[in-house]
Amino acid sequence: MKELKVGLLGIGTVGGGTYTVITRNQSEIARRIGGNIRIVQVADRNLELAKQVTGGQVAVTDDAFAVVSNPEVDVVVELIGGYTIAKELVLKAIANGKHVVTANKALLAVHGNEIFKAAADKGVIVAFEAAVAGGIPIIKALREGLSANKVEWVAGIINGTTNFILTEMRDKGLAFADVLKEAQRLGYAEADPTFDVEGIDAAHKLTIMASIAFGTPMLFEQAYTEGITKLTSQDIQYAQELGYRIKLLGISKKTEAGVELRVHPTLIPEKRLIANVDGAMNAVVVKGDAVGPTLYYGAGAGAEPTASAVVADLVDIARLQGTTADQRVAFLGYQLDQQQALPVLPIAEVHSGYYLRLRASDKPGVMADVTKILADLKISIDAMLQKEPQEGEAEADIIILTHTTQEKTMDAAIVKIEALPAIDGAVTKIRLETLSR
């Protein structure tokens, strides 16, 4: 095998980790593939940092386009992030006949259809294991390991920042705003945490997994996203009293009506393994018709965990040198001309269980009125928790768990419940998934 020469765009956290892993494990990698993988050029706006990380052993530049145009470079590793310059660089690399490895989930979720089409036309590889769940090999599992299955659903904790925040809120009883500040201090959350806490980052990753799982184009624009900013430690505690934990989940299911593509806080039974994934860790459950539920767990971010996935993609490309497109696994598991543009269900059409918290006057007949509304709409109650009023107060919290119903039916019930004279304020609604079938 001829030496695989790599151009690295970005030498920050993941880029630095990638350089370190390739350098440290070069002999081990060579034993596996029968040849070398070598970084020959690095681009970064911070030239001093690039020189420091590489120790002066590699050519460095502040011009990323010089790397994608370098005839010595076989593979471009894009670790810059974002939608704009990264897209230009990736498409230019493809046009120049270079393979691409990227960890850029936002780029693929938004522009993946165009990028994969360009790569197919040029006959080059675009590999992206690091784009979803860091070091967890979930892309390879979906695309190759489970290829005998019809995937029924995918559900994942795929954002470490929000998982850390929810874990701290549960364990310490703190408010969201307080834990967010701590997450920022520890480096788990960005100064602007919007993409994480509003579920956008998770939706990018879910879009990619759903495309592989169900053979659809990238459908990010149609994904439903709801973040964790409105969750209270009180709801987390009540859920725990009822035997559940709240996680920000990315969920995609294939139904007769179409594909569900949704990110939102979700109650999960505490006996499920994924409910016990805490801190900044990630986990994904995939349900196949033949294999049943399978769980993938590990570090979803960080320098070397993510670099592990980047280098694994480089190893795959090294092994595939000299092959033609029809000898390779399709980018997204399905051949591009076999993708199906399935409809994405609006959130109102989704079926789920529900957690409801209502603030009600402590007087007779209130529960009868609430349960009648639910019964009239054929919503079945699974469990209920009624708290005693605090000293000096005339109202108390009522928590209801329901069996599965359609979201628009639940929303209609909530409108009627909130109109009852005994109900104070808005009803809190959180979706519930058993992840058992």
Side-chain angles (χ1 to χ4, degrees):
M1 189 198 83
K2 79 179 185 73
E3 182 177 62
L4 189 72
K5 297 177 181 178
V6 178
L8 185 61
L9 308 183
I11 197 74
T13 300
V14 178
T18 299
Y19 186 86
T20 298
V21 169
I22 287 179
T23 304
R24 185 180 69 219
N25 295 344
Q26 194 165 51
S27 62
E28 196 73 13
I29 292 167
R31 287 178 61 208
R32 288 188 165 102
I33 63 176
N36 286 329
I37 296 174
R38 183 166 63 92
I39 296 174
V40 298
Q41 192 174 21
V42 172
D44 198 283
R45 286 180 296 182
N46 188 338
L47 288 177
E48 287 306 312
L49 174 64
K51 291 174 183 177
Q52 178 184 339
V53 173
T54 61
Q57 301 299 307
V58 174
V60 300
T61 178
D62 59 2
D63 181 6
F65 284 96
V67 176
V68 301
S69 299
N70 185 345
E72 293 295 310
V73 170
D74 302 309
V75 185
V76 171
V77 177
E78 184 275 307
L79 301 173
I80 294 173
Y83 299 105
T84 52
I85 188 68
K87 179 187 175 185
E88 292 181 46
L89 289 164
V90 166
L91 289 175
K92 183 67 173 176
I94 291 169
N96 289 340
K98 302 183 189 305
H99 304 300
V100 172
V101 173
T102 181
N104 193 336
K105 64 273 184 178
L107 175 67
L108 295 180
V110 175
H111 298 296
N113 298 324
E114 178 183 354
I115 288 168
F116 291 123
K117 175 65 166 56
D121 290 345
K122 197 68 179 180
V124 298
I125 299 167
V126 175
F128 51 94
E129 184 66 66
V132 180
I136 304 173
I138 186 60
I139 300 302
K140 188 174 285 287
L142 281 167
R143 190 174 55 198
E144 300 172 43
L146 298 176
S147 58
N149 289 258
K150 290 181 180 178
V151 175
E152 297 177 4
W153 53 261
V154 178
I157 298 169
I158 44 180
N159 182 275
T161 299
T162 51
N163 202 44
F164 172 82
I165 290 172
L166 293 177
T167 300
E168 292 290 290
M169 289 176 69
R170 184 193 73 220
D171 290 348
K172 298 179 179 178
L174 298 174
F176 167 79
D178 295 329
V179 180
L180 175 59
K181 290 178 183 176
E182 177 67 4
Q184 288 171 321
R185 186 185 69 80
L186 294 172
Y188 288 123
E190 302 286 345
D192 180 359
T194 303
F195 264 41
D196 291 326
V197 300
E198 296 296 351
I200 299 168
D201 174 78
H204 286 145
K205 297 169 183 174
L206 180 67
T207 296
I208 296 169
M209 291 196 296
S211 180
I212 299 170
F214 306 122
T216 67
M218 297 292 178
L219 299 167
F220 171 72
E221 293 81 3
Q222 299 176 61
Y224 173 82
T225 58
E226 179 183 323
I228 64 169
T229 57
K230 296 179 182 178
L231 283 179
T232 68
S233 56
Q234 188 178 45
D235 288 317
I236 291 172
Q237 178 60 39
Y238 288 157
Q240 194 158 352
E241 288 182 38
L242 289 161
Y244 292 82
R245 292 188 173 177
I246 298 178
K247 299 290 184 180
L248 183 74
L249 284 190
I251 301 169
S252 188
K253 299 180 181 180
K254 189 175 183 180
T255 72
E256 291 183 1
V259 173
E260 297 177 12
L261 196 62
R262 49 192 170 103
V263 173
H264 50 71
T266 311
L267 269 74
I268 313 169
E270 62 184 3
K271 63 184 178 182
R272 299 279 178 260
L273 289 174
I274 195 171
N276 295 281
V277 173
D278 289 337
M281 302 301 281
N282 281 197
V284 179
V285 181
V286 183
K287 171 66 162 50
D289 69 328
V291 74
T294 56
L295 174 70
Y296 307 84
Y297 166 86
E304 293 202 8
T306 308
S308 170
V310 171
V311 177
D313 279 341
L314 289 171
V315 167
D316 279 349
I317 291 172
R319 287 171 171 157
L320 291 169
Q321 287 186 97
T323 62
T324 57
D326 61 349
Q327 295 172 307
R328 305 168 188 157
V329 177
F331 301 125
L332 296 167
Y334 291 78
Q335 300 299 320
L336 291 182
D337 62 359
Q338 295 298 310
Q339 288 183 330
Q340 297 177 339
L342 300 175
V344 175
L345 296 186
I347 193 64
E349 303 295 325
V350 166
H351 287 78
S352 174
Y354 292 90
Y355 162 104
L356 305 177
R357 174 172 58 83
L358 33 145
R359 188 79 175 161
S361 301
D362 184 32
K363 60 182 183 181
V366 175
M367 278 308 304
D369 292 339
V370 171
T371 55
K372 184 178 186 305
I373 289 171
L374 296 175
D376 287 347
L377 289 169
K378 297 182 171 53
I379 299 172
S380 174
I381 294 175
D382 178 47
M384 188 169 63
L385 184 65
Q386 187 166 0
K387 310 300 287 187
E388 292 295 323
Q390 297 293 317
E391 186 174 349
E393 294 185 355
E395 297 176 332
D397 286 336
I398 298 171
I399 301 91
I400 298 171
L401 299 185
T402 78
H403 290 292
T404 300
T405 191
Q406 196 168 40
E407 178 118 353
K408 63 184 177 183
T409 304
M410 179 55 68
D411 287 344
I414 288 173
V415 169
K416 293 184 176 184
I417 291 170
E418 289 177 343
L420 293 173
I423 301 300
D424 182 18
V427 172
T428 295
K429 176 188 74 177
I430 307 174
R431 297 167 192 89
L432 182 156
E433 296 284 341
T434 61
L435 303 183
S436 61
R437 61 189 187 278

